[in-house]
Amino acid sequence: MIEAYPANDGVPGARSVDQPLFDSVIVVTDRRLLDKQLRENIREFSEVKNILAPAHKLAELKAALEQGKKIIITTIQKFPFIIDGISDLSNNRFAVIIDEAHSSQSGSAHDNMNRAIGTGGNEDDEALDAQDKILKAMRSRKMRGNASYFAFTATPKSTTLEKFGTRQQDGSFHPFHLYSMKQAIEEGFILDVLANYTTYKSYYEIQKSIQDNPLFDTRKAQKKLKAFVERHQQTINLKAEIMLDHFMEQVVSNKHKLKGKAKGMVITQNIESAIRYYHALTRLLADGGQPFKALIAFSGSKAVDGIEYSEPEINGFSESDTRDRFDTDDYRLLVVANKYLTGFDQPKLCTMYVDKKLQGVLAVQALSRLNRAAPKLNKKTEDLFILDFFNEVEDIKAAFDPFYTATSLSEATDVNVLHELKAVLDEVGVYEWAEVEQFVEWYFDNADAQQLSPIIDVAADRFNRELELEEQDKADFKIKAKQFVKIYGQMAAIMPFEIVVWEKLFWFLKFLIPKLVLQDPEADQIDELLNSVDLSSYGLQRVRLNHAISLDASETELAPQNPNLRGAHGGEEEKDPLDAIIQSFNERWFQGWSATPEEQRVKFMSMASSICNHPDFAAKYQGTDDRHNRDLAFNKIFDEVMLNNRRNELELYRLLATDAAFKAAMQQSLREMLDGRV
């Protein structure tokens, strides 16, 4: 691209046929991890010295732009800090390559990049009045005329297609170039991550631990109960055992799989779950005397069971070293929540254990961590494996289908929704328009926070206290305010017209929204729900084994952003007694036996009693501290008890014989009960 010359003087942007079309190529990404990977990849094929300028620091980025370096690699986060005082770059021509464009190009950072490579950097603003400054800001938000934008993504959203796609005569938008997932798989550039997909279905039973029978919001209660069960340490321990058993038997023991270098990733629901999984896996690895360890990756810090954790403290080294340490033979499992789900490039990854809801773009991005080809390691599609505890095969197919071949946008976003949103927001009375005008005037005059904050605080106080709004009305206002900011922020760069009142309200709401306080009046009550129930039993049943998910090869046409107003007002709450909620919950999730819950409980107690009375129980199970010997003894006792009772418990015996996960869940529950007794 840095050696691209115009074919003739008529090519848009051409200065002469002897001059390159672009003075500099700026490679932009919105993640620091990708920033490092891009620098490494481009350096590999860069044959000319001193043309590559990786901008680690703000000063380096500013200097690279001003000195006209040929290739500049940076993150979009750095652009907002170099606008002030940057030299006029409007005589230069830029090619801006945006990697992972589905996530990089929404928000103020991209607007700041537009301003930095345009004419807005060093004009004398003193002669402009407030109205001129606002109009100038609006113009600077447009995609710059001295830059050509090339956005690369495997998962184009509607906003990405509208901003970077080529508009057709019928008003639709198509990508300017297409290298589809299907073609990339067929040509061996990436691997098919959906070729070996195994799913497990959870089943569990909860029981009430209080005598009262209070009313709860049914929908919220069901959601809260499921989260309670899935993050319970008993649940995580069982899943961790299944994960590690598979990893040791199918990955580590197979020395031919990626020449003995294969690695796995565990995707969890949140940071708390990630920490619990890490500890469970670490204990299992230590008990088994395994020669490798697990790592964890998450941002910030998190308190779990009263202990504060962070990634560096758990791993024992800097957060910036996690990626490189995971590449070594010492670490073969990586536990994550959100970090590393996108943009993480590790060709040795071949196995993924999913315990998180994945849908849409996130599902494609996360599971595609496995698709990196690695010819030096003989990595093949049959080496890939996904074990999913949370999602249905049909949901994963629905997530991948739109991006398998070609994706286009049916029509442009209807920005008239901004008129409607503004009218609704104005009517609530949270702000006076004079306050918006005053705030924006001072903001564009570079007033400090002490001058600006009181205006925002007055409006926030009306919302939080003075207007005495109902909580649902507050939620409705905040949702619509966020919708206005999101749509206008994404569309301002490409709208062919300028509406000053939208720009003013955009800036005012951006500062107001963080100060709008919402409270759920039933939050404490729903939290009390968890003190009213206990997890009685938990198990897993394999639903699909090594299933190949076939994708639809037809082209997909996306609809533009939803033009309808969003809000908090909706259906009525449905409340049920706790007994009814628990019954409904158990009917939905406890589906291992055809026996009733009471029959299951009786049989469970009978099995525990039989194990306790086994002649080897006291000496070989209770009488040893060796974990391995205890496991062997218990498994042998359990098998003998079930064999002796197989005629009376034929259905249960068949379940245990055919489903290893069900058997493991049963054994773990029995051991916990028996260990609690003794």
Side-chain angles (χ1 to χ4, degrees), residues 346-598:
Q346 173 48 266
K348 296 175 187 175
L349 272 179
C350 70
T351 304
M352 189 171 283
Y353 304 101
V354 181
D355 193 17
K356 181 188 186 76
K357 179 64 178 176
L358 295 176
Q359 55 189 356
V361 170
L362 179 61
V364 180
Q365 287 288 310
L367 301 183
S368 293
R369 297 311 97 213
L370 298 184
N371 73 7
R372 274 47 177 174
K376 293 180 181 178
L377 298 174
N378 296 327
K379 185 178 180 182
K380 306 178 292 295
T381 295
E382 48 265 37
D383 292 324
L384 306 185
F385 179 84
I386 297 173
L387 195 160
D388 196 329
F389 294 94
F390 214 98
N391 305 282
E392 304 284 348
V393 163
E394 293 75 18
D395 295 332
I396 297 300
K397 173 177 167 57
F400 271 77
D401 270 341
F403 309 112
Y404 188 49
T405 52
T407 308
S408 61
L409 178 66
S410 61
E411 58 182 330
T413 299
D414 181 7
V415 296
N416 286 320
V417 68
L418 295 171
H419 283 300
E420 300 174 45
L421 284 168
K422 181 181 177 300
V424 173
L425 293 171
D426 288 351
E427 189 176 344
V428 178
V430 170
Y431 52 80
E432 301 289 343
W433 192 252
E435 294 167 349
V436 177
E437 297 271 10
Q438 184 65 76
F439 174 86
V440 172
E441 180 179 344
W442 286 353
Y443 177 74
F444 284 103
D445 273 338
N446 296 317
D448 59 30
Q450 289 183 336
Q451 190 176 5
L452 293 171
S453 291
I455 302 177
I456 297 295
D457 290 342
V458 168
D461 186 62
R462 284 198 201 100
F463 177 90
N464 296 326
R465 185 185 57 83
E466 186 180 319
L467 291 177
E468 298 182 349
L469 297 172
E470 297 290 337
E471 286 299 325
Q472 195 167 26
D473 292 331
K474 287 183 177 181
D476 192 70
F477 180 92
K478 191 168 184 178
I479 289 170
K480 287 181 168 61
K482 285 184 174 182
Q483 188 184 11
F484 183 95
V485 168
K486 179 181 179 181
I487 294 177
Y488 183 77
Q490 290 175 338
M491 303 309 300
I494 55 176
M495 285 193 303
F497 46 83
E498 294 161 358
I499 299 180
V500 177
V501 292
W502 287 357
E503 181 79 10
K504 291 178 178 179
L505 186 58
F506 169 80
W507 288 107
F508 186 82
L509 291 176
K510 275 181 71 71
F511 287 87
L512 176 62
I513 288 170
K515 295 192 175 187
L516 303 181
V517 179
L518 297 180
Q519 294 181 341
D520 184 351
E522 295 188 353
D524 292 339
Q525 184 188 19
I526 289 293
D527 287 339
E528 281 296 313
L529 171 70
L530 302 188
N531 297 324
S532 308
V533 298
D534 289 325
L535 179 59
S536 175
S537 54
Y538 180 89
L540 290 162
Q541 185 174 21
R542 193 168 57 210
V543 179
R544 299 285 182 91
L545 174 64
N546 290 20
H547 180 72
I549 302 178
S550 300
L551 299 180
D552 187 351
S554 60
E555 296 186 6
T556 299
E557 186 175 73
L558 301 179
Q561 294 187 78
N562 187 352
N564 299 317
L565 272 64
R566 295 172 54 202
H569 296 294
E572 293 293 318
E573 289 184 353
E574 183 181 336
K575 292 197 172 186
D576 283 321
L578 179 58
D579 276 343
I581 290 174
I582 289 178
Q583 181 181 351
S584 172
F585 186 80
N586 289 337
E587 286 173 354
R588 179 179 179 187
W589 295 108
F590 194 88
Q591 299 174 353
W593 270 317
S594 61
T596 66
E598 186 57 35

Side-chain angles (χ1 to χ4, degrees), residues 247 261-264 326-329 331-332 348-351:
F247 191 71
K261 304 287 186 181
K263 297 181 183 290
F326 185 56
D327 193 47
T328 67
D329 293 340
Y331 302 96
R332 298 188 68 171
K348 296 175 187 175
L349 272 179
C350 70
T351 304

Side-chain angles (χ1 to χ4, degrees), residues 168-200:
Q168 310 298 306
Q169 290 185 352
D170 62 358
S172 62
F173 293 81
H174 289 223
F176 77 95
H177 179 72
L178 175 66
Y179 185 65
S180 68
M181 183 190 302
K182 182 175 185 291
Q183 184 179 352
I185 291 172
E186 290 171 347
E187 295 179 358
F189 187 72
I190 61 173
L191 304 179
D192 182 4
V193 300
L194 304 184
N196 297 297
Y197 211 97
T198 295
T199 57
Y200 274 82

Side-chain angles (χ1 to χ4, degrees), residues 84-146:
D84 295 334
I86 198 170
S87 60
D88 189 350
L89 303 173
S90 293
N91 291 326
N92 291 7
R93 295 292 179 267
F94 297 92
V96 182
I97 297 178
I98 301 117
D99 187 55
E100 301 293 347
H102 66 276
S103 57
S104 300
Q105 301 311 303
S106 59
S108 299
H110 183 241
D111 302 330
N112 289 328
M113 183 176 72
N114 286 334
R115 290 197 282 272
I117 62 177
T119 59
N122 63 350
E123 287 184 18
D124 181 7
D125 286 349
E126 296 301 320
L128 301 177
D129 61 20
Q131 188 79 353
D132 291 332
K133 290 177 183 177
I134 294 168
L135 288 170
K136 178 188 167 197
M138 294 174 68
R139 286 191 292 271
S140 70
R141 292 164 67 84
K142 306 294 183 186
M143 297 174 77
R144 303 309 307 171
N146 61 327

Side-chain angles (χ1 to χ4, degrees), residues 35 39 54-64 73-74 78 82:
D35 186 18
R39 287 197 304 271
H56 299 277
K57 301 176 182 177
L58 299 175
E60 294 173 346
L61 178 56
K62 185 174 183 294
I73 304 177
T74 190
K78 293 188 178 81
I82 64 165

Side-chain angles (χ1 to χ4, degrees), residues 235-292:
T235 305
I236 288 175
N237 289 344
L238 172 58
K239 292 180 181 178
E241 282 190 35
I242 293 173
M243 292 174 185
L244 194 59
D245 284 347
H246 173 271
F247 191 71
M248 295 305 303
E249 293 174 8
Q250 303 298 325
V251 180
V252 176
S253 298
N254 187 347
K255 303 301 181 184
H256 299 292
K257 191 184 288 286
L258 276 66
K259 298 184 177 179
K261 304 287 186 181
K263 297 181 183 290
M265 177 181 279
V266 180
I267 299 178
T268 67
Q269 294 181 54
N270 49 47
I271 295 175
E272 178 185 335
S273 295
I275 293 170
R276 293 188 185 279
Y277 262 111
Y278 170 82
H279 288 313
L281 289 166
T282 299
R283 282 193 299 270
L284 291 169
L285 288 169
D287 290 344
Q290 304 304 335
F292 64 90

Side-chain angles (χ1 to χ4, degrees), residues 620-637:
K620 295 184 178 180
Y621 181 74
Q622 289 181 278
T624 179
D625 293 327
D626 184 273
R627 171 75 181 268
H628 181 65
N629 288 336
R630 280 171 62 90
D631 289 346
L632 290 175
F634 186 87
N635 291 343
K636 181 174 180 293
I637 294 169

